[in-house]
Amino acid sequence: MLRHFWLALAVWGAVHPMAYFLRWLSANGWDLPGLVDAWFVTDATRGLTWDLTIAAVTLTLWVLAEVAVRRNWVALLAIPATFCIGVSCGLPLYLWFRSRPV
């Protein structure tokens, strides 16, 4: 049951934030440098950006360390999910991969 909850959170973590990114990109053009600049406009957004960056790096190290021990190679997919979508998708996706028997 909990495993299904992890997958639901991963899907939500992919879809919900992406809706905001896509709306921003459609309003401002597909200007990725502009999007990154928007993350650093205020101290609040700068703090949140760094918070998520540190969480993403920490999650990546955790995934690499556990995959090396558990040999659950498919769990490495959580790393590109984290950096291409976000921690809100990558973390629950990794927990979903981790919760399956290997």
Side-chain angles (χ1 to χ4, degrees):
M1 180 64 180
L2 185 58
R3 186 161 196 269
H4 300 298
F5 188 63
W6 297 136
L7 185 58
L9 284 172
V11 171
W12 183 24
V15 172
H16 195 143
M18 195 57 63
Y20 291 100
F21 286 130
L22 292 175
R23 189 166 46 216
W24 188 93
L25 290 168
S26 72
N28 297 286
W30 289 80
D31 178 21
L32 292 180
L35 178 62
V36 172
D37 288 343
W39 297 342
F40 293 96
V41 170
T42 68
D43 285 340
T45 58
R46 188 176 295 112
L48 184 59
T49 299
W50 280 112
D51 180 65
L52 292 171
T53 300
I54 293 166
V57 170
T58 303
L59 175 60
T60 298
L61 293 174
W62 181 34
V63 169
L64 291 172
E66 284 215 334
V67 163
V69 172
R70 295 170 56 97
R71 304 289 190 235
N72 185 8
W73 304 112
V74 71
L76 289 172
L77 291 173
I79 295 172
T82 298
F83 286 98
C84 294
I85 300 171
V87 176
S88 62
C89 175
L91 176 58
L93 182 64
Y94 177 69
L95 292 173
W96 180 72
F97 284 130
R98 190 181 188 281
S99 65
R100 75 180 181 96
V102 288

